[in-house]
Amino acid sequence: TTLFRSSYIAAGDHVSFINASTPLDDCTYEWTLVGADNETMRTVNADATYSATGTYTVRLKATNAAGSDTAERQIEVVKVAPQAAFTIHNNVAIVGEDIELVDQTRYEPDSWKWTIASQQNTYLVNGQNTTLRINEPGVYGVTLQATNDKGTNTTSRSRAIYVCTADGETGLKFDDTDDELSLNSQLSTQ
């Protein structure tokens, strides 16, 4: 008899199917995973990702010299509340330079709200990915709120963006009421 374990999974999650029978050397195994990213596998165990919600049939067929046996299970792929995540490109910038906020939220969000804030300035941006230019030096925290019809999730990162002024004479200079770093150096070729 061929048995395996399965459960409900979130759309977009990677799932492993474990053959619960005792694997035999003279046996071949064929998994049929219609709707998954990899629909056929010839291994003892299988793994896949289902991107769309719905009910799917997972089939495992074991074959040896004595014949074959097939087991089937239904799995339910469901939509869940998003899990907010992001990255920042160019998180140490000079005033006026582009800073890119890149959404990496899982589980199909359909609404994004960004808050970029220092003690003096706050920027609010809606949309999945954004490029912004901050015109005031300082240290900024970033918060992303992601939403879908199953719920809302928020993630924050303090001290995520550093915006400084720079010129050839004074070097880099950060200035914020709670953070200060100055580098004033005169280089000499003597």
Side-chain angles (χ1 to χ4, degrees), residues 89-90 96-102 114 116 125-134:
H89 295 183
N90 195 28
E97 277 189 331
D98 286 350
I99 300 167
E100 187 178 0
L101 303 177
V102 180
W114 299 87
I116 303 94
V125 180
N126 291 320
Q128 182 174 11
N129 299 305
T130 190
T131 300
L132 70 140
R133 291 182 180 163
I134 297 176

Side-chain angles (χ1 to χ4, degrees), residues 21-94:
S21 65
T22 303
L24 303 172
D25 289 338
D26 67 339
C27 201
T28 61
Y29 299 93
E30 182 178 345
W31 293 85
T32 304
L33 310 167
V34 175
D37 60 340
N38 190 356
E39 292 192 346
T40 304
M41 298 185 79
R42 289 177 170 79
T43 56
V44 173
N45 301 311
D47 58 354
T49 302
Y50 289 85
S51 297
T53 60
T55 301
Y56 297 92
T57 299
V58 176
R59 182 176 297 115
L60 174 58
K61 181 179 179 181
T63 305
N64 65 13
S68 65
D69 188 20
T70 301
E72 290 184 356
R73 284 273 173 89
Q74 298 287 313
I75 62 163
E76 186 73 24
V77 179
V78 297
K79 188 172 183 179
V80 296
Q83 187 176 58
F86 63 89
T87 60
I88 303 170
H89 295 183
N90 195 28
N91 71 318
V92 178
I94 296 171

Side-chain angles (χ1 to χ4, degrees), residues 9-13 35 49-54 56 77-85 103-112 128 144-153:
I9 61 169
D13 265 1
T49 302
Y50 289 85
S51 297
T53 60
Y56 297 92
V77 179
V78 297
K79 188 172 183 179
V80 296
Q83 187 176 58
D103 171 57
Q104 294 185 320
T105 301
R106 297 180 63 191
Y107 308 127
E108 302 177 349
D110 54 26
S111 171
W112 300 263
Q128 182 174 11
L144 171 60
Q145 180 184 70
T147 303
N148 68 18
D149 62 345
K150 296 295 181 180
T152 297
N153 184 256

Side-chain angles (χ1 to χ4, degrees), residues 2-3 61 68-69 71 85 102 118 131 139 160 173 183-184:
T2 306
L3 301 171
K61 181 179 179 181
S68 65
D69 188 20
V102 180
S118 71
T131 300
V139 179
K173 185 174 184 178
L183 174 60
N184 296 318

